[in-house]
């Protein structure tokens, strides 16, 4: 049985099976809030507890993990994630390997953040 060579086909980084990870073109376009309380839309978080206090470091990480993993829209990234904050917390985020790889392949600065 012959399989496809890994170099012969290019596979998108998947956030979950069948869905490619969405990555912003630049970190500077990410202009989400840096303080206050944020409520995620149901399409990003199905739990009834969808509000996050950005002043709480654990809630900030949980919000970013959910947005980066669940979004299918670049606009969500622009509205909910702050580029500077993302870079600061990058190593602390618990992300699927493919999501991390997708972001780091586009934004090399995150590899050393």
């Amino acid at each position: 049985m012959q399989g496809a060579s890994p170099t012969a086909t290019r596979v998108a980084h998947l956030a979950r099976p069948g869905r490619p990870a969405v990555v912003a073109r630049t970190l500077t376009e990410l202009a989400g809030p840096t303080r206050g309380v944020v409520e995620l839309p149901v399409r990003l978080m199905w739990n009834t507890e969808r509000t996050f206090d950005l002043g709480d470091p654990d809630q900030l990480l949980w919000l970013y993990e959910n947005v980066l993993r669940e979004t299918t829209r670049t606009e969500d990234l622009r509205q909910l994630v702050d580029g500077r904050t993302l870079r600061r917390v990058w190593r602390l985020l618990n992300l699927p390997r493919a999501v991390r790889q997708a972001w780091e392949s586009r934004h090399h600065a995150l590899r050393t953040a």
Side-chain angles (χ1 to χ4, degrees):
M1 184 165 136
Q2 291 183 338
S5 164
T7 57
T9 58
R10 182 167 174 111
V11 177
H13 297 285
L14 300 178
R16 59 180 58 235
R19 188 173 71 203
V22 177
V23 178
R25 219 173 18 87
T26 68
L27 294 179
T28 56
E29 74 184 274
L30 303 177
T34 57
R35 60 181 159 235
V37 175
V38 174
E39 183 173 353
L40 289 181
V42 173
R43 72 179 179 285
L44 297 178
M45 181 90 168
W46 303 277
N47 193 333
T48 56
E49 299 292 324
R50 295 189 321 269
T51 58
F52 299 84
D53 179 353
L54 299 180
D56 179 325
D58 291 333
Q59 289 189 32
L60 172 74
L61 294 176
W62 184 229
L63 174 114
Y64 276 35
E65 289 164 358
N66 277 282
V67 172
L68 295 176
R69 185 180 58 246
E70 300 299 333
T71 193
T72 59
R73 305 173 182 185
T74 306
E75 193 57 34
D76 288 335
L77 297 171
R78 290 185 192 120
Q79 292 177 352
L80 296 167
V81 176
D82 174 70
R84 282 185 167 172
T85 303
L86 178 63
R87 187 167 179 181
R88 179 174 54 82
V89 302
W90 182 251
R91 288 286 160 220
L92 302 173
L93 295 173
N94 183 14
L95 296 169
R97 183 177 307 171
V99 172
R100 186 172 296 280
Q101 289 172 340
W103 278 84
E104 289 180 353
S105 68
R106 164 103 21 139
H107 304 290
H108 300 288
L110 292 176
R111 292 180 188 169
T112 59

